[in-house]
Amino acid sequence: MASQFAPESESPSATQRIDLRWETFDRQEVFRVDQENGRLLLNREYRDSILAGLSPSRDDVPLFKALLFCLLGPDFQDAKPTERCRRELARINRILVAASALGQG
């Protein structure tokens, strides 16, 4: 699924295309921001938990993905992530990992 994100301060015609992909990586991360390639990577290891029994599809969990776009949109605009930004991404990942663990039982 590819989505578009337009910062509030910019016109709708100034949208940036963000490619969303499910990939497998360390379980300490639910997502990764790949600024260089304009991608938001979701950890395939969490897909079943995020889907909560729904069938996987190209356009699955649109609300979850939209919320991530809202949280992470500014990270796609910055030329290079700052230390503060990296800490914030790590914090969001910790929250999502903990939430996933709660949903497991």
Side-chain angles (χ1 to χ4, degrees):
M1 174 181 151
S3 295
Q4 294 188 17
F5 174 79
E8 191 173 314
S9 61
E10 295 184 19
S11 70
S13 62
T15 59
Q16 176 183 1
R17 197 147 181 86
I18 298 172
D19 185 24
L20 191 139
R21 296 180 186 210
W22 291 98
E23 295 188 0
T24 302
F25 45 88
D26 189 332
R27 283 196 55 87
Q28 293 181 7
E29 296 176 286
V30 174
F31 68 89
R32 286 184 183 168
V33 174
D34 178 1
Q35 285 181 308
E36 187 174 310
N37 297 303
R39 293 183 182 147
L40 175 57
L41 307 175
L42 293 178
N43 192 339
R44 189 179 313 274
E45 298 291 320
Y46 287 100
R47 194 172 193 181
D48 288 341
S49 175
I50 293 168
L51 288 172
L54 298 173
S55 298
S57 72
R58 184 173 168 258
D59 295 320
D60 55 19
V61 293
L63 183 59
F64 178 78
K65 292 172 182 177
L67 290 172
L68 276 180
F69 288 139
C70 289
L71 277 171
L72 306 175
D75 298 305
F76 284 98
Q77 297 169 29
D78 297 335
K80 185 176 180 185
T82 63
E83 182 57 35
R84 181 177 175 266
C85 174
R86 284 190 286 276
R87 285 194 311 268
E88 182 66 10
L89 293 177
R91 185 182 73 83
I92 295 168
N93 261 310
R94 285 192 305 273
I95 290 167
L96 293 174
V97 167
S100 177
L102 291 173
Q104 298 298 316

